[in-house]
């Protein structure tokens, strides 16, 4: 996953706006999991997409939603802290 992040992956935090406000990965965008379906245009033309949340459950749902809509370049990054650890290297 580190190579994807270093290669400029689209980093999407699928937690709620309130959770995102409490702390998030630098450079990530917040698209809560329940809004992924209605925000598909934001994912178009991205080389790679990394989705993540608090525990990995919501990001798994987001990955499934994106894949059902034809996206094949999605990685479940798990927790936001895990993704964040690669940013700060």
């Amino acid at each position: 996953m580190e190579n994807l992040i270093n290669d400029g992956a689209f980093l999407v935090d699928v937690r709620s706006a309130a959770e995102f406000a409490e702390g998030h990965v630098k450079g990530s965008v917040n698209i809560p999991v329940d809004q992924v379906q209605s925000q598909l245009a934001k994912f178009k033309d991205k080389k790679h997409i990394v989705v993540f949340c608090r525990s990995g459950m919501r990001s798994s749902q987001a990955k499934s939603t994106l894949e059902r809509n034809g996206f094949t370049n999605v990685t479940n990054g798990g927790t936001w802290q895990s993704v964040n650890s690669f940013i700060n290297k």
Side-chain angles (χ1 to χ4, degrees), residues 36-37 40 49 60-76:
V36 169
Q37 181 71 44
L40 292 173
I49 300 164
S60 177
Q61 292 174 335
K63 182 179 191 294
S64 295
T65 298
L66 290 165
E67 287 175 341
R68 279 195 309 274
N69 285 279
F71 292 90
T72 57
N73 56 343
V74 185
T75 299
N76 181 351

Side-chain angles (χ1 to χ4, degrees), residues 19-74:
E19 289 172 292
F20 186 79
E22 290 172 6
H24 58 271
V25 175
K26 183 179 165 193
S28 66
V29 298
N30 181 219
I31 303 175
V33 68
D34 60 352
Q35 295 175 24
V36 169
Q37 181 71 44
S38 63
Q39 303 274 335
L40 292 173
K42 292 185 178 174
F43 296 92
K44 294 232 185 305
D45 301 322
K46 302 296 185 197
K47 183 175 177 184
H48 206 87
I49 300 164
V50 176
V51 291
F52 50 92
C53 59
R54 184 177 53 81
S55 69
M57 293 294 291
R58 286 175 282 181
S59 52
S60 177
Q61 292 174 335
K63 182 179 191 294
S64 295
T65 298
L66 290 165
E67 287 175 341
R68 279 195 309 274
N69 285 279
F71 292 90
T72 57
N73 56 343
V74 185

